[in-house]
Amino acid sequence: MTRFQYLREKSRAPLTALLSTLMLGSVAATGAIMPSPAAAAETYGGVGTWFDKVGDTGGACGVPPDQIESQNFVALNVWDMPNDFADAPSQRPIPADKSNIKGMYDNGLNCGRWVRIKLSDFCDVANGGAPGAGICRGGTWAPDRYNGATLNAVVTDSCGDGNEWCRSDRNHLDVSRHGVGGFTMPDGTPAGDLIGAGAWNNRKVDWSFIPAPNYRGDIELAFAEGAERYYAPLIISNLPNGIHGVEYFDGSTWQRAKMNGDNGQRYTIDANSAAKTSYTVRVIEANGQLLNGGRQYTFGRADCAQGSGKCSPSQNYNPVTYTTK
């Protein structure tokens, strides 16, 4: 089953200082990245639906399916255009002069971020988001036994379909089939298969962005398909706090890398020397700060891009081993 084939009609200061010192010491000793502190997260209210999987080459964020750090993942809306169900109401990325129609996908800038989802009321009638028909038509929203269940999930895809959910509900969350079966009740017990129980689709959800839960290690870097000497598309994943940009060192200065379309976890970089055999990058988190105080990652060309080679379409994820500074 693929996207939208479900139920649808159309197809404290001293202590804080001490803890901070201990955390920084731990980072220095282990090299592990600690997610950056954030202000109280804003909560968004929308409707939850589900989809089976991302495409064979990955979701809109640009990470191949088997490289997504969790099978609990979500898609965010490309457009915020209530009652406009055109197939492609604008180009992607959405131009700056049309920023008013951007959905929560935000041209890829929310890719790689984690969300915490909390279940709310359920619509007591089954309907499928047909354009112009409303989301809970002929029914009412009411609480049930699943209210309060929670799930953490990573943003890896976008929802651009011409239906009520993807156009008329700005804060809509499309949750992976695996994720829908992974909610935890307030008492810590599994909520079970909500789809099988008839308790999903047209379910109200409250959600917010959070740092990656139980984060360990460091980011992962890989060259994408098409990589060669003069073209270096880089995939960045396993992020502690999302990604709002990449900078690469060209041998003399830092340059801002260009996102590949609105694939929020793919950026085109350049080498740090004329020989184009080595690259150095640093990552900008969703809070606008350089990751881990500006940690630099240096690595060589992908094996499939050595010499005059070019990574084929089947070589869509070519991990690199990097050093840090």
Side-chain angles (χ1 to χ4, degrees):
M1 187 171 188
T2 56
R3 182 187 299 281
F4 295 116
Q5 289 178 317
Y6 39 74
L7 297 178
R8 81 188 221 173
E9 297 167 356
K10 185 184 177 182
S11 93
R12 307 145 156 54
L15 179 58
T16 299
L18 175 59
L19 290 174
S20 297
T21 301
L22 292 172
M23 290 171 66
L24 288 171
S26 176
V27 171
T30 66
I33 290 178
M34 303 297 293
S36 298
E42 181 176 354
T43 299
Y44 306 96
V47 172
T49 53
W50 71 276
F51 66 114
D52 190 52
K53 63 177 185 177
V54 297
D56 292 339
T57 58
C61 291
V63 181
D66 56 353
Q67 301 301 326
I68 300 169
E69 49 261 56
S70 173
Q71 290 306 297
N72 297 337
F73 51 78
V74 299
L76 300 179
N77 285 8
V78 176
W79 291 285
D80 177 24
M81 300 182 69
N83 303 313
D84 187 329
F85 306 106
D87 286 342
S90 77
Q91 67 187 73
R92 296 179 62 174
I94 297 170
D97 63 354
K98 294 185 177 180
S99 61
N100 62 305
I101 66 171
K102 282 197 300 186
M104 288 300 290
Y105 184 67
D106 197 12
N107 277 347
L109 290 179
N110 281 325
C111 284
R113 300 183 73 179
W114 282 79
V115 297
R116 183 168 178 81
I117 310 164
K118 184 176 181 180
L119 301 186
S120 187
D121 295 354
F122 185 64
C123 179
D124 61 4
V125 296
N127 49 70
I135 290 177
C136 188
R137 63 188 178 280
T140 56
W141 298 100
D144 63 13
R145 64 179 296 265
Y146 298 107
N147 280 53
T150 57
L151 174 78
N152 297 332
V154 64
V155 178
T156 197
D157 207 354
S158 67
C159 187
D161 297 20
N163 57 49
E164 286 283 359
W165 297 309
C166 291
R167 297 294 172 81
S168 299
D169 179 9
R170 174 178 173 79
N171 300 325
H172 161 244
L173 280 187
D174 205 14
V175 184
S176 67
R177 177 67 174 83
H178 185 278
V180 175
F183 279 86
T184 300
M185 297 294 286
D187 64 1
T189 60
D193 182 7
L194 298 178
I195 296 173
W200 193 252
N201 267 18
N202 290 348
R203 161 77 66 178
K204 285 186 176 181
V205 294
D206 295 317
W207 61 274
S208 57
F209 291 111
I210 60 171
N214 304 313
Y215 190 83
R216 296 291 185 273
D218 206 336
I219 61 173
E220 295 178 3
L221 301 174
F223 284 109
E225 67 278 4
E228 41 112 357
R229 181 176 183 181
Y230 297 103
Y231 176 56
L234 188 68
I235 301 171
I236 308 96
S237 59
N238 195 42
L239 296 154
N241 191 27
I243 180 169
H244 270 194
V246 171
E247 296 179 341
Y248 63 87
F249 188 66
D250 67 2
S252 59
T253 59
W254 287 98
Q255 304 287 347
R256 191 70 178 254
K258 183 178 181 181
M259 186 190 296
N260 291 12
D262 64 355
N263 304 143
Q265 288 175 255
R266 289 196 185 202
Y267 284 79
T268 300
I269 62 173
D270 205 350
N272 56 24
S273 70
K276 296 189 180 298
T277 57
S278 181
Y279 305 83
T280 300
V281 301
R282 56 191 186 186
V283 173
I284 301 169
E285 296 188 283
N287 60 12
Q289 303 298 310
L290 285 169
L291 174 63
N292 206 41
R295 176 173 288 182
Q296 300 174 24
Y297 302 83
T298 298
F299 47 93
R301 232 188 291 166
D303 289 345
C304 51
Q306 293 297 321
S308 60
K310 180 178 181 178
C311 300
S312 69
S314 64
Q315 296 169 310
N316 65 346
Y317 190 84
N318 304 280
V320 300
T321 300
Y322 56 70
T323 59
T324 60
K325 178 180 176 182

